[in-house]
Amino acid sequence: MSSLLAMRGVTVRFGGVVALAEVDLDVALGSITSIIGPNGAGKTTLLGVASGMVQAAAGAVSFLDRDVSAAPAHARGAAGMVRTFQNLEVFSNMTVLENVMTGCHRHVGYGVVDCLLRTGRFRREERRCREHALKRLDFVGLADKAESRAGDLPYGLQRRMEIARAIAADPTLLLLDEPAAGLNTRETQALGELITAIRESQGVTIVLVEHDMDLVMRISDAVMVLKEGRNLAVGPPEAVQKDPEVIKAYLGEDDED
Amino acid sequence: MDLGSLLQYLITGVTVGATYGLTGLGFTIIFNTTGIINFAQGEFVMLGGMLGVAAHAAGVPLPLAVLLAVAAATLAGALMERTFIRPVAKASAVNLIIITIGASILIRGVVMLIFGKDTFALPHFSGMEPIRFLGAAMLPQSLWVLGITLLLLLGLKSFFSRTMWGRGMLACSYDPKAAALMGINVSRMAMASFMISAAVGAAGGVILAPITLTAYDVGILLGLKGFAACILGGLGNPFGAAAGGIILGVLESFGAGLLSSAYKDAITFVILLLLLFVRPTGLFGKGSGERV
Amino acid sequence: MAPTRKNLLGLGAWTLLMALTPHLLTNDYYVSTLIIGFFNAIIVVGLNMLMGYAGQISLGHGAFYGLGAYVSGILAATYGVPVEAAGLIAIIATGLIAWGIGIPTLKLSGHYLAMATLGFGVIVSIVFNEAVETTGGPSGLTGIPRLTLFGITMESDLSYYYVTGLALTLVMALSLNLIQSRLGRALRALHTSERAAEAVGVDIARYKLFVFVLSAVFAALAGVLYAHYLGFAAPSSFGFHFSVTLLVMVVLGGMASVWGAVAGALFLTALPEFLRAFENIETVLFGGILILGMMFLPSGLAGGTAKLTRALLGRFRVGARRV
Ligand SMILES: Nc1ncnc2c1ncn2[C@@H]1O[C@H](COP(=O)(O)OP(=O)(O)OP(=O)(O)O)[C@@H](O)[C@H]1O
Ligand SMILES: [Mg+2]
């Protein structure tokens, strides 16, 4: 099995804090790979390094068998690696539809001149982009909110919209950072189904950072456990669940709680 | 080029640079406490000079006129914070920039309405008989400028490190939420920062007014140069700003003397741009600039 | 598409109004005021794309206006280059300068960006003042020939009015097209979240540079039209004061509205004419507009009116439902 995303020896420091120390990650094509770990373990940072938004002190990232360690964030996005954010990053002054149409950015094929002059190509491409975005909105169940201002949506729907924006890019790899944060049990259940559906119907490979263990164990093919910036365990969910180190780490966390 | 004229350039540069430094210091104090860059900082400097002139013209003895000018500018600083800044404390950086630009235009406009567009001079504090040494001449006013600048710097240093207020203001800059939790009144600190920087700026303006003259519109360039000074010294570092001001003043004075007096003002801005492009953290700063 | 139709209708109505206005005016003087207002509107529409849509502040756009005016003016007056060619060269040259200065400048944000653009504006202004042999220095460049297009010289104010009005309409149409496109969405997106824009593949540095250069090109176009209208260019017209006036126009018109930008520019150009009696009050007034606008109407006149209408309608609807 070839890895779609491979990270090797990734180390990140913030001032004195070592957020990641020599972390490796392999994401198999077509899989749902989850990253779990206590708060501050470095999960978001790892996604940041993958997507090019956090500078690594050492290590390499390869995507689609190409070394992208030096590629800027937008180039990785344009190459099909798209992420969402733990703290929502919604384009609040645009409509929901426009948010999702922005997600289509990498697919819309016209230049400045087409757009300044509104050529036939512009109109064709724009109509295609709009229809595509509406389809994605429908997919996440937000079709009726297309014309609302994104900033006015309730929190849970903003999360869904962010997912719609990400999959509007037709990504090869989708990185989701705690998509269930702030959702209630029912919403989380629905989110699980949505994530599986994204994989099934669009063949998108998914990396999921999540605290909700039920969700993770239910839908993941592989789970990676991070603790204090180190790779604690990796493997299929059942194996990871039984790993004594992991149990200790999580029980340890429970004790503190 | 003889030693005398080099020394002369140095004296002129340091004197003018002291005012740039005080202006930069004003920027820093407000920025440190509130995170705002006050585009009206130069107007406080202008207010110092103009109000000093006005008070003196009205018959107030010179020392009292100077104090009065600084006090009135301080009040203007308080008023500005209270009426324009506090109600929109959570506005975006761009909106706050526009509001402080608006305040600067407003202050300039009011001063123009009252005093007109003429250029005014304040009498020298202790005569105009130059002190001559090593082929250079130094106005006694230069000594006043340097002395008062030094006193202000020392005073502020002990204010920020010794007094409760000073420490409270520093705490606001590190973490306003934590400061509020510790019982520090953040908005009162913000007001204090506007008052102190208005006072410092006005002091710089009124002590320089006898040498460089003053008018309603001198605040624009002085403000920009003060900002250049605090970028040079590293934004957020008050004494860096003061040092930056003096460096700028000296560079400008030598540039005007040795290269071209026509492009004297351009020198500062070319330095400012180069610094922003290459090293936005300043000469003495470290870490990353605000490039998020 | 609905928004497109609305734009077309709006532009149609605008063109009609623009074409008829000179015939309704009783005084030729008003025509020349409107021409100046159109110059300003051309700049402000561009600046509004930069500030209102992409969220990048510039306090140096007076410099681009001046570069357009001076480059074209000097080429035509001193070197006898035909006006059309001089204007074109001036616009391209200004675009190139904006591109060169934009690359390092747009890496900055917030106060740093404001100060860097301001510093650039001041430097250009100093050059206009001090390069006396080329620019004529503080007293200005004189003898700039009138605009000629396809061999026809726009001698009368009325012909100049239509040329400028047409240029403005074109600039508005291009801007409206741009906003509702992939580029416009990218600009608005990076305004709110640069990271999220990058995440979907938007090259933010490129788009910022694009809109910066575009707005500079618009300003240069206005500058060219200005120089060949007045026949004269002086540094004081393009300095810091003018850059701030542009900012006031953007704010008054409401950030992020092409129509608002035009309204703000025309209104503030005409205002001083009405304030002749109180000559010096303009400065105070501009300061007041900036402050009050940002404090109470951050979305400007256009946005404020829309918000008020929505609020009233909303209350009406709620009231209706309760009944
Ligand atoms: N920009 C930053 N500057 C300084 N330190 C940071 C920064 N981002 C993260 N850190 C630190 O790096 C460590 C890892 O943070 P990270 O956000 O990756 O954790 P996480 O696993 O995503 O946690 P959570 O479950 O709370 O989201 C933490 O100690 C955090 O404080
Ligand atoms: Mg996280």
Side-chain angles (χ1 to χ4, degrees):
Chain A
M1 196 162 42
S2 77
S3 331
L4 177 60
L5 174 73
M7 304 177 75
R8 291 283 169 273
V10 172
T11 302
V12 174
R13 291 187 205 96
F14 294 113
V17 183
V18 180
L20 291 175
E22 305 256 323
V23 175
D24 297 336
L25 172 67
D26 280 283
V27 177
L29 186 67
S31 71
I32 297 182
T33 304
S34 290
I35 304 173
I36 61 171
N39 289 116
K43 307 179 294 291
T44 299
T45 307
L46 192 61
L47 287 198
V49 173
S51 59
M53 294 182 189
V54 171
Q55 200 76 42
V61 181
S62 82
F63 175 58
L64 286 166
D65 292 324
R66 277 204 345 240
D67 183 18
V68 294
S69 311
H74 67 85
R76 302 189 202 190
M81 185 201 309
V82 177
R83 68 173 291 185
T84 65
F85 297 87
Q86 180 171 355
N87 304 312
L88 286 173
E89 301 267 357
V90 163
F91 306 135
S92 48
N93 55 349
M94 294 159 73
T95 67
V96 171
L97 180 62
E98 285 170 332
N99 262 267
V100 180
M101 283 172 81
T102 310
C104 309
H105 189 81
R106 74 191 193 103
H107 292 302
V108 186
Y110 57 75
V112 180
V113 177
D114 289 309
C115 124
L116 288 176
L117 302 180
R118 238 168 226 282
T119 58
R121 166 133 154 239
F122 168 89
R123 272 179 263 169
R124 230 175 11 254
E125 286 286 301
E126 198 64 2
R127 195 175 321 122
R128 206 172 54 85
C129 165
R130 193 187 174 81
E131 277 158 15
H132 185 68
L134 279 170
K135 225 184 293 168
R136 292 296 179 257
L137 269 178
D138 193 41
F139 186 78
V140 304
L142 278 180
D144 57 327
K145 294 276 189 285
E147 296 303 329
S148 312
R149 227 180 62 99
D152 296 340
L153 285 190
Y155 185 81
L157 297 189
Q158 290 197 7
R159 281 221 170 272
R160 279 189 168 253
M161 191 201 74
E162 237 194 52
I163 295 177
R165 187 175 74 200
I167 58 175
D170 290 338
T172 318
L173 176 65
L174 176 62
L175 312 171
L176 297 170
D177 197 350
E178 302 203 14
L183 302 188
N184 62 32
T185 328
R186 207 164 44 87
E187 286 170 331
T188 306
Q189 178 85 26
L191 178 74
E193 280 151 25
L194 181 66
I195 295 173
T196 347
I198 292 171
R199 197 249 308 250
E200 303 308 328
S201 71
Q202 277 145 46
V204 181
T205 306
I206 292 169
V207 173
L208 172 68
V209 169
E210 197 32 84
H211 277 297
D212 189 306
M213 277 316 135
D214 291 337
L215 177 65
V216 167
M217 294 307 164
R218 190 151 44 84
I219 66 174
S220 311
D221 302 308
V223 176
M224 175 210 207
V225 186
L226 271 183
K227 192 187 179 210
E228 287 164 7
R230 286 175 194 285
N231 207 334
L232 205 61
V234 61
E238 315 79 47
V240 167
Q241 251 171 329
K242 289 191 201 109
D243 190 310
E245 288 260 22
V246 176
I247 294 172
K248 207 172 82 194
Y250 269 85
L251 284 179
E253 200 196 19
D254 280 351
D255 279 353
E256 281 161 33
D257 287 353
Chain B
M1 186 77 17
D2 59 310
L3 181 70
S5 20
L6 287 183
L7 198 61
Q8 190 67 57
Y9 293 143
L10 191 68
I11 293 168
T12 316
V14 171
T15 309
V16 179
T19 301
Y20 299 164
L22 288 179
T23 316
L25 192 62
F27 272 110
T28 315
I29 293 169
I30 292 182
F31 179 77
N32 274 354
T33 315
T34 63
I36 294 170
I37 289 291
N38 175 26
F39 279 71
Q41 193 59 38
E43 308 311 321
F44 293 148
V45 184
M46 177 274 287
L47 274 181
M50 289 298 280
L51 293 175
V53 169
H56 187 256
V60 180
L62 191 56
L64 201 59
V66 169
L67 287 180
L68 217 59
V70 174
T74 311
L75 202 66
L79 209 66
M80 172 176 166
E81 195 278 335
R82 201 52 244 261
T83 43
F84 304 146
I85 305 295
R86 194 176 296 186
V88 290
K90 286 183 195 69
S92 72
V94 169
N95 289 14
L96 282 167
I97 290 171
I98 295 175
I99 288 178
T100 60
I101 290 177
S104 83
I105 301 178
L106 196 66
I107 296 173
R108 202 181 311 141
V110 169
V111 170
M112 183 184 76
L113 280 181
I114 300 175
F115 301 108
K117 296 183 175 178
D118 296 332
T119 302
F120 298 92
L122 196 66
H124 288 240
F125 292 5
S126 47
M128 294 177 64
E129 189 57 49
I131 307 157
R132 292 183 193 283
F133 61 99
L134 298 175
M138 185 179 198
L139 287 169
Q141 189 67 26
S142 287
L143 285 178
W144 277 104
V145 170
L146 295 180
I148 291 179
T149 305
L150 212 61
L151 273 180
L152 280 172
L153 285 179
L154 290 176
L156 283 170
K157 191 161 179 67
S158 66
F159 173 77
F160 280 118
S161 56
R162 304 255 168 80
T163 67
M164 278 232 324
W165 273 79
R167 288 194 193 154
M169 287 171 67
L170 279 185
C172 290
S173 75
Y174 294 133
D175 187 349
K177 267 192 211 126
L181 286 178
M182 277 158 52
I184 294 171
N185 185 335
V186 177
S187 60
R188 196 180 292 168
M189 295 297 161
M191 183 143 158
S193 76
F194 270 83
M195 292 172 69
I196 296 174
S197 35
V200 171
V206 73
I207 53 180
L208 193 67
I211 300 180
T212 59
L213 309 185
T214 185
Y216 80 101
D217 62 352
V218 298
I220 306 173
L221 269 188
L222 278 171
L224 276 168
K225 289 181 178 175
F227 180 78
C230 71
I231 293 293
L232 192 64
L235 189 58
N237 173 354
F239 303 99
I246 290 177
I247 295 174
L248 268 188
V250 170
L251 283 178
E252 212 178 86
S253 157
F254 275 90
L258 303 178
L259 302 173
S260 138
S261 65
Y263 287 98
K264 166 170 122 351
D265 288 328
I267 294 170
T268 305
F269 296 109
V270 171
I271 294 174
L272 171 67
L273 285 192
L274 289 179
L275 266 175
L276 283 173
F277 296 163
V278 180
R279 199 176 159 75
T281 50
L283 292 183
F284 318 119
K286 47 180 181 286
S288 63
E290 190 199 42
R291 287 194 162 201
V292 179
Chain C
M1 265 189 269
T4 315
R5 189 155 308 152
K6 218 159 78 181
N7 285 344
L8 272 179
L9 273 175
L11 279 174
W14 155 260
T15 311
L16 200 67
L17 185 72
M18 194 262 300
L20 288 180
T21 307
H23 303 288
L24 304 175
L25 292 177
T26 47
N27 189 336
D28 283 348
Y29 177 72
Y30 294 134
V31 175
S32 71
T33 305
L34 274 175
I35 294 177
I36 305 284
F38 288 174
F39 298 154
N40 291 338
I42 292 175
I43 314 173
V44 174
V45 168
L47 189 58
N48 178 50
M49 299 242 272
L50 179 71
M51 288 184 49
Y53 287 98
Q56 309 299 310
I57 195 167
S58 166
L59 299 176
H61 261 55
F64 296 125
Y65 186 42
L67 283 169
Y70 269 102
V71 172
S72 188
I74 292 168
L75 285 178
T78 315
Y79 298 99
V81 177
V83 175
E84 295 101 320
L88 204 63
I89 295 172
I91 293 171
I92 293 171
T94 308
L96 286 176
I97 292 172
W99 183 71
I101 197 81
I103 290 173
T105 306
L106 292 164
K107 287 191 182 127
L108 304 165
S109 67
H111 332 295
Y112 291 90
L113 178 62
M115 285 295 186
T117 50
L118 180 43
F120 166 74
V122 175
I123 292 173
V124 172
S125 194
I126 292 173
V127 173
F128 289 160
N129 267 303
E130 302 299 340
V132 180
E133 298 199 343
T134 341
T135 63
S139 51
L141 179 73
T142 50
I144 304 174
R146 191 83 165 186
L147 183 70
T148 310
L149 284 176
F150 312 111
I152 306 163
T153 306
M154 304 295 154
E155 280 303 345
S156 73
D157 268 12
L158 194 64
S159 62
Y160 218 97
Y161 173 90
Y162 283 119
V163 169
T164 318
L166 205 68
L168 171 59
T169 311
L170 203 68
V171 162
M172 286 162 67
L174 292 179
S175 305
L176 286 168
N177 284 353
L178 190 77
I179 288 153
Q180 275 161 18
S181 76
R182 170 179 186 260
L183 280 86
R185 286 191 294 271
L187 292 177
R188 282 184 289 161
L190 70 86
H191 184 177
T192 348
S193 169
E194 298 198 349
R195 294 191 323 147
E198 282 183 307
V200 290
V202 176
D203 183 346
I204 55 173
R206 208 172 121 218
Y207 282 94
K208 284 185 194 173
L209 192 58
F210 166 74
V211 69
F212 188 72
V213 171
L214 186 76
S215 64
V217 163
F218 284 176
L221 168 68
V224 170
L225 289 170
Y226 173 95
H228 296 285
Y229 176 61
L230 293 187
F232 165 79
S236 59
S237 318
F238 313 112
F240 174 63
H241 180 74
F242 185 68
S243 291
V244 170
T245 305
L246 292 174
L247 181 76
V248 183
M249 290 171 176
V250 171
V251 169
L252 185 73
M255 310 262 234
S257 158
V258 171
W259 301 106
V262 174
L266 292 182
F267 179 74
L268 279 190
T269 311
L271 191 65
E273 307 297 335
F274 297 114
L275 293 178
R276 274 290 153 80
F278 331 82
E279 203 182 320
N280 289 332
I281 209 148
E282 185 188 317
T283 317
V284 175
L285 203 69
F286 278 17
I289 291 175
L290 278 185
I291 297 171
L292 295 178
M294 275 297 117
M295 287 176 78
F296 301 111
L297 277 180
S299 45
L301 283 184
T305 322
K307 213 159 73 184
L308 193 68
T309 324
R310 232 179 301 143
L312 288 177
L313 281 179
R315 180 157 303 165
F316 176 72
R317 256 184 239 132
V318 171
R321 215 173 291 148
R322 280 213 194 103
V323 169

